[in-house]
Amino acid sequence: MKVAVTRKEHFNAAHRLHNPEWTDDKNQMVFGKCNNPNYHGHNYDLEVTLVGTPDPATGYVYDLKVLSDLIKDHVLHHFDHKNLNLDVAYFKELNPTAENIAIVIWRILRQQIDNQYDLKIKLYETERNVVEYPIH
Amino acid sequence: MKVAVTRKEHFNAAHRLHNPEWTDDKNQMVFGKCNNPNYHGHNYDLEVTLVGTPDPATGYVYDLKVLSDLIKDHVLHHFDHKNLNLDVAYFKELNPTAENIAIVIWRILRQQIDNQYDLKIKLYETERNVVEYPIH
Amino acid sequence: MKVAVTRKEHFNAAHRLHNPEWTDDKNQMVFGKCNNPNYHGHNYDLEVTLVGTPDPATGYVYDLKVLSDLIKDHVLHHFDHKNLNLDVAYFKELNPTAENIAIVIWRILRQQIDNQYDLKIKLYETERNVVEYPIH
Amino acid sequence: MKVAVTRKEHFNAAHRLHNPEWTDDKNQMVFGKCNNPNYHGHNYDLEVTLVGTPDPATGYVYDLKVLSDLIKDHVLHHFDHKNLNLDVAYFKELNPTAENIAIVIWRILRQQIDNQYDLKIKLYETERNVVEYPIH
Amino acid sequence: MKVAVTRKEHFNAAHRLHNPEWTDDKNQMVFGKCNNPNYHGHNYDLEVTLVGTPDPATGYVYDLKVLSDLIKDHVLHHFDHKNLNLDVAYFKELNPTAENIAIVIWRILRQQIDNQYDLKIKLYETERNVVEYPIH
Amino acid sequence: MKVAVTRKEHFNAAHRLHNPEWTDDKNQMVFGKCNNPNYHGHNYDLEVTLVGTPDPATGYVYDLKVLSDLIKDHVLHHFDHKNLNLDVAYFKELNPTAENIAIVIWRILRQQIDNQYDLKIKLYETERNVVEYPIH
């Protein structure tokens, strides 16, 4: 039986939901206020969870200070106080919905975290809209 | 691998816990303060989670605005500012515990949400008492 | 210069907003969903603040354990898991709006707290509706 | 002695902090990440407080449903899912710091709320950065 | 299909992270500020979840008042306002990391809760550092 | 009319409430569990509020990044992950109640903040126990 450890971080960013293959009318109909061409923004709360077995020498599954630094270096450094559509390469051709942001963050961190640890992302776009990835 | 999306809503309601097949003494012994014949009440926080695959055209698993409207029309419209025992048909013969309220809300919404999406309900009766349904 | 100390407690109660001197139509027009004759309810969060000078021997303005016990004995004992309109004498002829509940709690606790301490009440009816009394 | 009543609302917006009379270097030095020319964004939590005397007929200082509608019509309609710098006329020549946003919201609502009520604004730009206006 | 019910409690405690088989330098390198020989402390938030089937007679999976009392008697009574390293026998030879505290609490409560109920522990050491046990 | 700006920070610390001029019995009677000779601890949430007039060139009353750095350098550096009684000189002869901690933090920061700004401290020892200083 394993233990899950979670570190919470946050970042603030602007974004716009838009599908360039659609007409303006269809974009407006599907994405509504989120399609504003001048962007809007959010305080994103990010929870990163690793699952593993505690090391008997430390009692840690994973040093959460190290995890926090990995998140800061590989996610927050690129996302915080940015325009996700314009400043973050991952979203040049990918709509920055909460779902896609969570998947991108998972892919970034999966390369930094040894595969012995399961990795899960939970992202709060607002207090009321939340996504989790992956779900098995 | 799939993504879970969650929408949080809330409603305020009165209720009373009571088993009509029991004596008043037994009801008082089992349900204590929650058996008050004049009712008490709660601010219920409701989280509705759908699990599915993001649509490549939108980046959405499910439009949370649509989900919010479904919850408002099919749950909040009937539960908010109501007396669950007296005003909500589902609880005429079912004790409105948090467990039963969550199961009823799941049944209501399951009829509104395509079966390609898994559906889960999390209900906070208070900050300290929480239920989730279903658990596999 | 003085220090304010605050203790937070909570209670769950049913209530109905209604003016018996008005017609049903006017009550419905003014109080809307809150006028439901079968009651609805809330988780009330209550903050009680005392202002005074720390005692040099203890470093306390007021022992918050003592304050918590006073609130439990004189407020929660009468309000928690009750129907405010039917079970609480103060509201037999007073509409249990958040404003009036806060004023009643202030009057109850003012009799228990030495007048050397200023006393303030903050009451959350929901996360979004809050009242404070008194304001000078 | 009076009662304060508070209604909480929220809006999501993009913004950029920038003084057009300064060089890019000075803007960067003073505003740092907040000067990003592509904007960033926040979930703003807004608390609007009115101070007055409860009406004996209702027990209300002010109907919070009415206050909520005023905030939605006169503030959220113009601010929510907007770029404050580009979409909101008030900030064409005014830097949209939390301080200035709070002052603008106060001025907007002051015209909608009878002067018998004191009016206060509290604005959370993030969980950690908060402003209040006016302070006497 | 089953229902999960959760009760939240909290306790305040001092602790120190330290491996007595290591040099002071290695302890400092691994545990950093958490190795302070004079201890530091936390407000721990504890969530205890049971999974089972609601009893048709009550609508309860498990009476949360009974669960709260079990947690108080068997966990909080021994952990609250204590020094985990010095006052709690379980940590005489076990490092009181959040992971180990969660596992110990699970072992304590597993002896009190009938095996027909799955048992899970979630422990918040801070708002940003959280552990869950067990994960299957 | 002025604007208040608030920055929230936090620190984790151990402490013990004790008056060395009293007998053990009297200390136990007055401070109860908080008198544990082995210490207990808390996650302290700290809000520092400055009141002033926004600078027309920046729109800031005070750069909250600068305020955050001042709090980190002059308060958190000395208080975080410490034993307040043993590690913090201010409490060698002063009982580290929440009231006294708030007064000490105010005195520390008052020396760092120009007197044109009013300065207020709000300290959460737990979610339920809160102090504010000064109150005029």
Side-chain angles (χ1 to χ4, degrees):
Chain A
M1 281 191 299
K2 295 186 163 180
V3 179
V5 297
T6 296
R7 176 69 188 174
K8 302 190 184 184
E9 301 286 348
H10 69 272
F11 59 94
N12 310 318
H15 80 151
R16 177 201 190 189
L17 300 186
H18 186 72
N19 183 334
E21 299 182 359
W22 290 348
T23 63
D24 285 358
D25 278 359
K26 180 155 187 192
N27 270 294
Q28 179 58 35
M29 192 185 66
V30 172
F31 295 119
K33 294 184 298 181
C34 300
N35 186 238
N36 179 358
N38 288 331
Y39 310 99
H40 64 286
H42 296 291
N43 302 331
Y44 290 92
D45 280 319
L46 170 63
E47 298 182 7
V48 177
T49 298
L50 304 187
V51 176
T53 307
D55 178 335
T58 60
Y60 283 162
V61 166
Y62 200 95
D63 184 336
L64 289 179
K65 177 70 174 64
V66 172
L67 180 57
S68 173
D69 288 343
L70 280 176
I71 301 168
K72 287 191 177 104
D73 291 349
H74 295 277
V75 179
L76 305 191
H77 179 67
H78 302 290
F79 286 48
D80 187 35
H81 282 76
K82 300 296 185 189
N83 182 309
L84 297 178
N85 304 65
L86 300 181
D87 296 329
V88 182
Y90 301 96
F91 301 110
K92 290 292 189 213
E93 301 188 356
L94 182 68
N95 207 12
T97 58
E99 290 90 330
N100 282 336
I101 300 171
I103 292 171
V104 163
I105 291 173
W106 184 87
R107 288 183 180 153
I108 292 172
L109 290 176
R110 188 66 282 179
Q111 298 186 306
Q112 305 299 325
I113 307 279
D114 189 292
N115 275 319
Q116 71 176 286
Y117 303 102
D118 282 346
L119 171 65
K120 293 189 70 173
I121 303 299
K122 187 171 188 176
L123 184 71
Y124 295 74
E125 190 173 81
T126 67
E127 272 193 318
R128 293 172 166 267
N129 290 353
V130 191
V131 302
E132 293 167 271
Y133 177 82
I135 302 294
H136 296 284
Chain B
M1 282 191 297
K2 295 186 163 180
V3 179
V5 298
T6 296
R7 176 68 188 174
K8 302 189 184 185
E9 301 286 348
H10 69 272
F11 59 93
N12 310 318
H15 79 154
R16 177 200 191 189
L17 301 186
H18 185 73
N19 183 334
E21 299 182 358
W22 289 348
T23 64
D24 286 357
D25 278 359
K26 181 155 187 192
N27 271 294
Q28 178 60 36
M29 193 185 65
V30 172
F31 295 119
K33 295 183 296 180
C34 300
N35 186 239
N36 180 358
N38 287 332
Y39 310 98
H40 65 287
H42 297 289
N43 302 331
Y44 291 92
D45 281 318
L46 170 63
E47 298 181 8
V48 177
T49 298
L50 302 187
V51 177
T53 308
D55 179 335
T58 60
Y60 283 163
V61 166
Y62 200 96
D63 184 336
L64 290 179
K65 176 71 175 64
V66 172
L67 179 57
S68 174
D69 288 343
L70 282 176
I71 301 169
K72 288 191 177 104
D73 290 349
H74 295 277
V75 179
L76 305 192
H77 179 68
H78 302 290
F79 286 48
D80 187 36
H81 282 74
K82 301 296 186 189
N83 182 309
L84 297 179
N85 304 65
L86 300 180
D87 296 329
V88 182
Y90 299 96
F91 301 110
K92 291 290 189 215
E93 300 189 357
L94 181 69
N95 208 11
T97 59
E99 291 91 330
N100 282 337
I101 299 170
I103 292 170
V104 163
I105 292 173
W106 184 87
R107 287 182 181 156
I108 293 171
L109 291 176
R110 186 67 283 180
Q111 299 186 306
Q112 305 300 324
I113 307 279
D114 190 290
N115 275 319
Q116 71 176 287
Y117 304 102
D118 281 346
L119 171 65
K120 294 189 70 172
I121 303 298
K122 187 170 188 177
L123 185 71
Y124 294 75
E125 190 173 81
T126 68
E127 273 193 316
R128 294 171 166 268
N129 290 353
V130 190
V131 303
E132 294 165 272
Y133 177 80
I135 303 293
H136 295 285
Chain C
M1 283 190 297
K2 296 187 164 180
V3 179
V5 299
T6 296
R7 177 69 187 173
K8 301 188 184 185
E9 301 287 348
H10 68 272
F11 59 94
N12 310 318
H15 79 152
R16 176 200 191 191
L17 301 187
H18 186 73
N19 184 334
E21 299 182 358
W22 290 347
T23 64
D24 285 357
D25 278 359
K26 178 154 190 193
N27 271 294
Q28 180 58 35
M29 192 185 65
V30 171
F31 294 120
K33 296 184 296 181
C34 300
N35 186 239
N36 179 0
N38 288 332
Y39 310 99
H40 64 287
H42 297 290
N43 302 331
Y44 291 91
D45 281 318
L46 170 62
E47 297 181 7
V48 177
T49 298
L50 304 187
V51 177
T53 307
D55 178 334
T58 61
Y60 283 162
V61 166
Y62 200 94
D63 184 336
L64 290 180
K65 177 70 175 65
V66 173
L67 180 57
S68 173
D69 288 344
L70 281 176
I71 300 168
K72 287 192 177 102
D73 291 349
H74 295 277
V75 180
L76 305 191
H77 179 68
H78 302 289
F79 286 47
D80 187 36
H81 282 76
K82 301 295 187 190
N83 182 308
L84 297 179
N85 303 66
L86 300 180
D87 297 329
V88 182
Y90 299 96
F91 301 109
K92 291 292 189 213
E93 302 189 355
L94 181 69
N95 209 12
T97 58
E99 290 90 330
N100 282 337
I101 299 170
I103 292 169
V104 163
I105 292 174
W106 184 87
R107 287 183 181 153
I108 292 171
L109 290 176
R110 185 67 282 178
Q111 298 186 307
Q112 305 299 324
I113 307 279
D114 190 291
N115 276 320
Q116 71 177 285
Y117 304 102
D118 281 347
L119 170 66
K120 292 188 71 170
I121 303 299
K122 187 171 187 176
L123 185 72
Y124 294 74
E125 191 174 79
T126 69
E127 273 192 317
R128 293 170 167 270
N129 290 353
V130 191
V131 303
E132 294 166 271
Y133 177 81
I135 302 292
H136 295 286
Chain D
M1 282 190 299
K2 295 187 163 181
V3 180
V5 298
T6 296
R7 176 67 188 175
K8 302 189 184 185
E9 301 286 348
H10 69 273
F11 59 94
N12 310 318
H15 79 152
R16 177 200 190 191
L17 301 187
H18 186 73
N19 182 334
E21 299 182 358
W22 289 349
T23 64
D24 285 357
D25 277 0
K26 180 154 189 194
N27 271 295
Q28 179 58 37
M29 192 185 66
V30 171
F31 295 119
K33 296 183 295 181
C34 299
N35 185 238
N36 180 359
N38 288 332
Y39 310 98
H40 63 287
H42 297 290
N43 301 331
Y44 291 92
D45 281 319
L46 170 63
E47 298 181 8
V48 177
T49 298
L50 303 187
V51 177
T53 306
D55 178 334
T58 61
Y60 283 163
V61 166
Y62 200 95
D63 185 335
L64 290 180
K65 177 71 175 64
V66 173
L67 180 57
S68 173
D69 287 343
L70 280 177
I71 301 169
K72 287 192 178 103
D73 290 349
H74 295 278
V75 180
L76 305 191
H77 179 68
H78 302 290
F79 286 47
D80 187 34
H81 283 75
K82 300 296 186 190
N83 182 309
L84 298 178
N85 304 64
L86 300 181
D87 296 329
V88 182
Y90 300 96
F91 301 109
K92 292 290 190 213
E93 301 188 356
L94 181 69
N95 208 12
T97 59
E99 290 91 330
N100 281 337
I101 299 170
I103 292 169
V104 163
I105 291 173
W106 185 87
R107 287 183 181 155
I108 292 171
L109 291 176
R110 186 67 282 179
Q111 298 186 306
Q112 305 299 324
I113 307 280
D114 190 291
N115 276 319
Q116 71 176 287
Y117 303 103
D118 282 346
L119 171 65
K120 293 188 71 171
I121 303 299
K122 187 171 188 177
L123 184 72
Y124 295 74
E125 189 173 81
T126 68
E127 273 194 317
R128 293 170 167 269
N129 290 353
V130 191
V131 302
E132 293 165 272
Y133 176 80
I135 303 294
H136 296 284
Chain E
M1 283 191 298
K2 296 187 162 179
V3 179
V5 298
T6 296
R7 176 68 187 173
K8 302 189 184 186
E9 300 285 348
H10 69 271
F11 59 94
N12 311 318
H15 80 151
R16 178 202 190 189
L17 301 186
H18 185 73
N19 183 333
E21 299 182 359
W22 289 348
T23 64
D24 285 358
D25 279 0
K26 179 154 189 193
N27 270 294
Q28 179 59 35
M29 193 185 65
V30 172
F31 295 118
K33 295 183 296 181
C34 300
N35 186 240
N36 179 0
N38 287 333
Y39 310 99
H40 65 287
H42 297 290
N43 302 331
Y44 291 93
D45 281 319
L46 170 63
E47 297 182 8
V48 177
T49 298
L50 304 186
V51 177
T53 307
D55 179 334
T58 60
Y60 282 163
V61 166
Y62 200 95
D63 184 336
L64 290 179
K65 177 68 175 64
V66 173
L67 179 57
S68 173
D69 287 343
L70 281 176
I71 300 169
K72 287 191 178 105
D73 290 349
H74 296 276
V75 179
L76 305 192
H77 179 68
H78 302 290
F79 286 47
D80 187 35
H81 282 76
K82 300 297 185 187
N83 182 307
L84 297 178
N85 304 65
L86 300 180
D87 297 329
V88 182
Y90 300 95
F91 300 110
K92 291 292 189 212
E93 301 188 357
L94 181 69
N95 208 13
T97 58
E99 289 91 329
N100 282 336
I101 299 170
I103 292 170
V104 162
I105 291 172
W106 184 86
R107 288 184 180 152
I108 292 171
L109 291 176
R110 186 68 282 180
Q111 298 186 307
Q112 305 301 323
I113 307 280
D114 190 291
N115 277 319
Q116 72 177 283
Y117 304 103
D118 281 346
L119 171 64
K120 293 188 72 171
I121 303 298
K122 187 170 187 177
L123 184 72
Y124 295 74
E125 190 173 81
T126 68
E127 272 192 317
R128 293 170 166 268
N129 290 352
V130 191
V131 302
E132 293 166 273
Y133 177 81
I135 303 293
H136 296 285
Chain F
M1 282 190 298
K2 295 188 163 179
V3 178
V5 298
T6 295
R7 175 70 188 173
K8 302 190 183 183
E9 301 285 349
H10 69 272
F11 59 93
N12 309 317
H15 79 152
R16 177 201 191 190
L17 301 186
H18 186 72
N19 183 335
E21 298 181 0
W22 290 348
T23 64
D24 285 357
D25 278 359
K26 179 153 189 195
N27 270 293
Q28 179 58 36
M29 193 185 66
V30 172
F31 296 118
K33 295 184 297 180
C34 299
N35 186 239
N36 179 359
N38 288 332
Y39 310 98
H40 64 288
H42 297 290
N43 301 331
Y44 291 92
D45 281 319
L46 170 63
E47 297 181 8
V48 177
T49 298
L50 303 188
V51 177
T53 307
D55 178 334
T58 61
Y60 283 163
V61 166
Y62 199 94
D63 184 336
L64 289 180
K65 176 70 175 63
V66 172
L67 179 58
S68 174
D69 288 343
L70 280 176
I71 300 169
K72 288 191 176 104
D73 291 348
H74 295 277
V75 180
L76 305 191
H77 179 68
H78 302 290
F79 285 48
D80 187 36
H81 282 75
K82 300 296 185 190
N83 182 309
L84 297 178
N85 304 65
L86 300 180
D87 297 329
V88 182
Y90 300 97
F91 301 110
K92 291 291 188 212
E93 301 189 356
L94 181 69
N95 208 13
T97 58
E99 290 90 329
N100 282 336
I101 299 170
I103 292 170
V104 163
I105 291 173
W106 184 87
R107 287 183 181 155
I108 292 171
L109 290 176
R110 186 68 281 178
Q111 299 186 307
Q112 305 300 324
I113 307 280
D114 190 290
N115 276 319
Q116 71 178 284
Y117 304 102
D118 281 346
L119 171 65
K120 293 189 70 171
I121 303 298
K122 187 170 188 176
L123 185 73
Y124 294 74
E125 190 173 81
T126 69
E127 274 193 316
R128 293 170 167 271
N129 290 352
V130 191
V131 302
E132 293 165 272
Y133 177 81
I135 303 294
H136 296 285

